[in-house]
Amino acid sequence: MCGIIGYIGGQSALEVALTGLRRLEYRGYDSAGVAVVVDGGLRTLRRAGKLANLEKALAETEAGLSGTTGIGHTRWATHGGPTDTNAHPHTDCTSAVGVIHNGIIENFAGLRAGLEHGGHELTSETDTEVVAHLLEDELATLVRDGSSLPAGTNPLTEALRRVCGRLEGAFTLVVVHRDHPDVVVAARRNSPLVVGLGAGETFLASDVAAFIAHTRNALEIGQDQVVEARRDGVSITDFAGNPVEGRPYHVDWDASAAEKGGYPYFMLKEISEQPTALADTLRGRLSDDAEIVLDEERLSTQDFRDIDKVFIVACGTAYHAGLIAKYAVEHWTRLPCEVEMASEFRYRDPVLDRSTLVIAISQSGETLDTLMAVKHAREQKARVLAICNTNGSTIPRESDAVLYTRCGPEVGVASTKTFLGQVAACLLVGLYLAQVRGVLYGDEVARYVERLQATPTLVRETLATVEPVRALARSLVDAKAVLFLGRHVGYPVALEGALKLKELAYMHAEGFPAGELKHGPIALIEPGLPVVIVVPSPRGRSHLHGKIVSNIQEVRARGARTIVIAEEGDTIVEPYAEHLIRVPATPTLLAPLVTTVPLQVFACELALARGLDVDQPRNLAKSVTVE
Ligand code: F6R
């Protein structure tokens, strides 16, 4: 949600901002704007719609925006519709200060009323605009009491610190001022902000993709901190003005990883990258003595031994990965494991204590619902382990330990390769817990790990055989709805297949446990309705297999078109499948790593057949930074 870039250096700030915004498009947005400090003035241009609208307006504008200090923003509307006026940057009454923002300022109504009472004229419906006017007031106060500022303190930086102290909610703010062309100032609370450190230039952005073409040296910014960016580096303080250090890190992927690489869509590229992404998640995770290797560990083996309950919190696709993990964690560790949508978790007062392990799964590491669940868990003294794909993001920083999925940047809004990474990471955690708690022996763990290590090859084999799935998807372009059924781990896979179809093809799609069908949803079955059934292996849990074969017959008897996903060699399902999609045989608990793949391809192809943009589905944002 909302893409942010700030720049100060030797290049054209406008060019850097536009290139950065293009790389942040994937986050989801509905308007865009830029502001550049130009010869003692601030030039701002904003347009509703896609970046192309802004670029067209820029090409038509006579007043140039040539300067080396500037900001750029893509907005995902919250307060006020996606109009030119509501687009960022926002300015104060004198058009001296330019502000861009990600998040929601919850007390904006009261602040706005106070500003208007004081004579300020606000022109947009946004919560952001109040910040520009508050800065105007604070700067005026600082000018009046000029002597109270310590030497070397930039008034804009001090003004932003003071303003942040008055804001409630979540925000990343980046600010420029016509009278302070030598700084760009930013602040963050519960919203993403990273610094890029180049040679004689500094970047501020929502994520590293915005500046990866210029530098791979990044700096994490902590909670409630203000950054003053100059050409030669940054100074960071807390909101009270106390100096703090950022945590430097090197981005381990380059600009080419965030490009389409010959594919027409990022999503197609990311689906095809899954064998490598999965292998990267698994690589080097178990030491010789079968200890799991976490990336940042502030938990001891004893802490893991002392766990008596597991909660998994996540949203959307990551939640589905959590649902799969539950089966493995309970089966391998004999610990109770609950999976909860992060947005609901803290509102129902879950029973947590220091022997509870909370696993927070998030691709972006910035999902506010998940972040708030993590904070709640830690307040209740639970141990929190993050499974995350984005280095330097907030959720891992707020957790006790982190396991990065290392899938590389995922630009398509719909999660694909990171879902497989999340499932694999959860399985590793489950095995580790089982081992330290003495429920599984080392050789049993090793056998599972060996099977896990084989899954990238199985995913490659699956991808090599999905062409008929594409043809099938194209043939269903006019379908009104699709149902997805599964049992055991096939149930979360069914949910994920339905979610992919909803978000990409805008079709009504529902996932159900196949056994639940007869308790209501079977009324939805009508002749010709496509029903996708994820069939468990007949080898591992044969009772499950038999049950689902009955479920297939139930829907067939009512005229549904049955699309069956079954493993190689499962001949029992053949008579009941109108369309049979084969996947390689896997142990039951690892099966989602292969059965999900045809469903991703199915949704993607159906959406393309409907002429839709699979990388940026309507209304969606890649990184959901509001609750
Ligand atoms: C669906 C999708 C979303 C995300 C969800 C959580 O394809 O991508 O449902 O899974 O918004 O996002 P993260 O994993 O970044 O916390």
Side-chain angles (χ1 to χ4, degrees), residues 507-526:
M507 283 171 74
H508 179 229
E510 294 293 338
F512 296 108
E516 184 64 14
L517 198 68
K518 56 192 173 300
H519 299 290
I522 200 162
L524 294 169
I525 308 288
E526 56 186 25

Side-chain angles (χ1 to χ4, degrees), residues 315-319 361-367 370 395 410 413-415 422 496 499-500 503 621-624:
C315 303
T317 287
Y319 168 73
I361 311 174
S362 175
Q363 185 285 128
S364 62
E366 300 293 351
T367 300
T370 310
I395 289 170
E410 188 173 69
V413 162
S415 292
Q422 288 164 349
E496 177 59 7
L499 177 63
K500 284 285 144 316
E503 62 183 340
K622 181 72 179 162
S623 183
V624 184

